[in-house]
Amino acid sequence: MKNRTEGVVLVVVLSLAAVLLVVLATYSIVTVNNTRTSASSGNASAGFYASEAALNARAEAVRQKFKGFEVPAGVTPSAASPCQGTNKGLGDFACQSNVVAGRTVTSYVEKGGSTTITIPPGEDFENLTADETPFTVRGQALGTTGNPEAITELTFRSRLVPLFQFAVFFGKDLEFTNTANLNLSGPVHTNGNLFLDAGATLYIKGQTTAAGRLYRGWKHGNNCSAGTVQLDDAGNTARTIPCGAGRTELSSSTTNAFGGRLKRVPSLELPEVAQLQPNPGAQYWDKADIRIVLRRRGSSDNWDPMFVNASKTIINLSGVGCLLGESLGTSTSFRDNREAEYWENGGRDARGQQDAGRANRRMLEIDVRQLLTCVGTPGNASLLGISGLADETDGGLVIYATVEDGTTGIAQDGPNHYAVRLKNAALLQSNNAFHPKPKGITFVSDEAVFLQGNFNSSADRASGWIPASVISDTVNVISAGWDGATRCTTRYGTKTYGVSRTYRNISSYAGFLNDLGGRWNFYTDLAQGDLVSGDAKSQLPLFCRYAGATTIKAGILSATTSSGTIPGPPVQDGEGTLDRGPQSGGVHNMMRFHEDWGSNSGDLTYPGSAVTYTYTGSLVSLSQPLHAFGTFILGNNRYQPPQRNWTFEEQFRRAENLPPLTPRFVYLRQDNFTRQFEQ
């Protein structure tokens, strides 16, 4: 019996041992599999993140291509075994391999068809027209062993948005400071801080966006003007933003009440100022159809205007309008009283030299209609490399005008007194009735531009309006009354007098002043006032510089000062500062004036009602001036403002009505990011 019991015990022990061995074996297998699974999952996650990073970098490379006026180009590898063997694709869409976190990620790009869209309501930059192009970036991450760890796909859309679709677009602090009446139907954007303020009424009907902070009040001082600031909300109902005790930053509850029509957005990457310079490789110089240079002869003070090609070799044109003095010329008769403050008070150029004589501008003079008559001749158009005035490359004609003062000159190096004056431009077409009308014209200069008289002022296309723009360091407006002879007259107190530098012992003599550049004699007989015309006015006080009604219709891109910027060189940048002068003058003084237009004149005033300046277009400023360092001052022999009748150019909402080479920004809108599988 004993042996039998022992046998049973032995069997039980052996059975238990077998079970334990099975359990141990199973545990070992499970543990190894869990370890392998964990490692595999970790590798897959690492591969996924590496692939995601590579695809995002590839998308950014596509966006960078859109800067300026480039577009991505190339050939996508075929769908069958992409990136294998010779199936690599070409250019911007070709296969690329990068090592990210120890993983080799291979990617390629597929481009869809471009379409023109209207950005949907509620999105950033709603209701604007954009060129939208879909892209798909596909990538595969290989681990250290060469095995695929993740296959990913990123789909996004690039949107190119023209800047002249905005009523106002600033790449820097945007100041509506003590603003005159402005009724803006288009959108407003700034890449800096936004300051909303009005001396009268500021009404913005389009979406208003800022990458920086939003304020009600001034930038240069802790103040808020008593005027009315209104913006439309999402229901197109005007909402008023009241003043506080001083400048106040708008709260989220205030901005949220506008339903997305007043908000902060990410900073945009904008065209660079370098693309506006007259250098080979710069976009506007390279793409210009007509290039005009005012060139100094050696070290002398003799200057010659001329046509050149992209490499700056002279092109000799001939025929009507081409002779010196017809379409092109030069002058030094205009005194810029704003910039005179800089040069006559010890201002220095980039070489450290002072020259009070630079208060007078060295002008490249362009008679626009004579110029178009000259280049409209088929032989001249052929020499310039264009098909004629109706050339449609880049949307129409691009005319670049600049000044060259030699290899040691200051034309591109800092403060200078050079400028381009455009006149006889009410109609932007040839004097020859047989020449076609341009589709559009953009004038570009790295120097200051002066628009004298009416510019593209026709009511519509049928009567002569065309899409036009001016892109320059600064834009100055000289009224249509500049060349006409006018008398120096002023109202002093309640009476109006003729004013003359000549003393005449006659019964109408009423006294004199000695504080306006010498002795000025007053006469009750207005006919005794000095008769002056043209640039001679610029040398005289404001009571000899009365403006005439003027109309300008064009997109304008120019540099503007920001409050708090102290002229140099070196310049002390005022971007982002608060409570520091000098003030910029605000958006409504972006265009510089040089005459008495009749508003805000004080005691010595325009002897009549204020003169209207009608402007229709889009105001864009991306930087501070490179060459104009005079500070903003109202009055003080500089200017008195016009009655402003300013509106957004509604025709710019349509892509076909935009000026040639309209600058633009690009942003990407991601559709999805997917992982097809992990391994």
Side-chain angles (χ1 to χ4, degrees), residues 515-528:
D515 61 347
L516 295 171
R519 177 182 171 121
W520 291 89
N521 301 282
F522 284 23
Y523 300 88
T524 56
D525 179 3
L526 301 187
Q528 298 300 319

Side-chain angles (χ1 to χ4, degrees), residues 47-69:
F48 172 76
Y49 292 129
S51 185
E52 180 185 30
L55 265 59
N56 285 333
R58 199 73 192 268
E60 173 62 15
V62 170
R63 189 183 70 83
Q64 288 290 330
K65 269 289 181 179
F66 278 107
K67 289 176 62 178
F69 294 92

Side-chain angles (χ1 to χ4, degrees), residues 105-160:
V105 182
T106 300
S107 64
Y108 64 94
V109 179
E110 182 178 322
K111 176 185 175 183
S114 298
T115 57
T116 299
I117 67 162
T118 298
I119 299 175
E123 292 189 16
D124 295 348
F125 317 116
E126 63 180 17
N127 301 320
L128 296 185
T129 298
D131 290 333
E132 184 178 78
T133 306
F135 292 88
T136 300
V137 186
R138 295 186 172 89
Q140 176 178 263
L142 302 179
T144 54
T145 62
N147 292 322
E149 291 181 339
I151 293 179
T152 53
E153 182 177 290
L154 171 64
T155 303
F156 63 92
R157 299 174 185 273
S158 70
R159 287 178 176 173
L160 281 169

Side-chain angles (χ1 to χ4, degrees), residues 290 292 305-307 315-329 365-377 380 384 423-424 429-432 435:
I290 303 165
I292 303 168
M306 59 191 67
F307 297 95
I315 300 175
N316 292 310
L317 305 184
S318 60
V320 177
C322 300
L323 297 177
L324 183 65
E326 290 184 328
S327 59
L328 306 180
E365 304 278 3
I366 300 179
D367 183 308
V368 174
R369 294 204 66 180
Q370 290 277 40
L371 171 66
L372 297 176
T373 303
C374 170
V375 301
T377 302
N380 290 333
L384 292 167
K423 53 189 178 183
N424 192 17
Q429 59 190 52
S430 168
N431 288 318
N432 188 329
H435 289 168

